[in-house]
Amino acid sequence: MAHYGDELTLRLSAITDTRLLDDDQALTTFMRDLVDRIGMTVIAGPLVATEQGPPEKAGKSAVVILAESHAAIHTYPHLREIFVDIFSCKPFREADVLAEFHRLVGDYYVRERTLTRRGEEWPRDLHAAQQHWAALSSVHD
């Protein structure tokens, strides 16, 4: 048994060029380009929403639902920051993710970074999954 997939979370700060962080069409295109570059399959979206409010809370959120899971970003142009969350059962390269953000905003500083192996010991085949769940349910009976 292996893990289900990887989840990459990032906080990008000190963004050089914030012009596109408040542009619905640019973020829609960016999300498509991002998931294409990391080899994922879009099943819904991208969807872009605007968060109103004071400058420190105003920005955009963009999400795409993938056959492999999801990718989401939250932009804060006035703070020159982006939060990123990519979760996938299919392996992907962090370097490709970072390169796409360089294309969108130029230079930035990776202030926070976490790569988490999700679903440790997740069964990959149906027979193993059935055995796993049967064993768990017998423990809880």
Side-chain angles (χ1 to χ4, degrees):
M1 292 194 214
H3 72 291
Y4 178 79
D6 293 325
E7 184 171 23
L8 175 65
T9 59
L10 301 166
R11 177 179 164 205
L12 308 179
S13 299
I15 291 167
T16 303
D17 184 358
T18 62
R19 289 174 298 151
L20 299 179
L21 297 186
D22 212 16
D23 181 319
D24 288 22
Q25 187 55 52
L27 293 175
T28 297
T29 300
F30 169 76
M31 293 300 287
R32 287 184 186 134
D33 291 347
L34 172 66
V35 298
D36 184 55
R37 180 161 185 167
I38 62 176
M40 305 298 165
T41 308
V42 175
I43 59 173
L47 174 66
V48 178
T50 301
E51 175 64 35
Q52 302 293 338
E56 66 275 7
K57 293 188 177 182
K60 301 279 185 181
S61 293
V63 64
V64 62
I65 306 302
L66 306 169
E68 300 83 5
S69 196
H70 73 269
I73 64 170
H74 307 284
T75 72
Y76 298 93
H78 296 291
L79 299 176
R80 298 175 46 192
E81 295 209 347
I82 303 172
F83 286 91
V84 180
D85 181 12
I86 301 172
F87 180 34
S88 177
C89 60
K90 180 179 177 181
F92 61 95
R93 290 177 7 106
E94 181 179 346
D96 290 335
V97 172
L98 296 174
E100 281 303 307
F101 279 98
H102 277 293
R103 283 183 357 105
L104 179 69
V105 299
D107 289 333
Y108 55 80
Y109 173 72
V110 179
R111 180 149 330 264
E112 297 173 9
R113 177 203 172 271
T114 305
L115 182 62
T116 306
R117 291 169 55 98
R118 302 291 308 273
E120 291 288 341
E121 306 210 12
W122 185 266
R124 288 285 182 176
D125 65 62
L126 182 58
H127 180 70
Q130 288 171 329
Q131 289 179 326
H132 175 75
W133 294 114
L136 283 178
S137 61
S138 67
V139 169
H140 296 289
D141 289 338

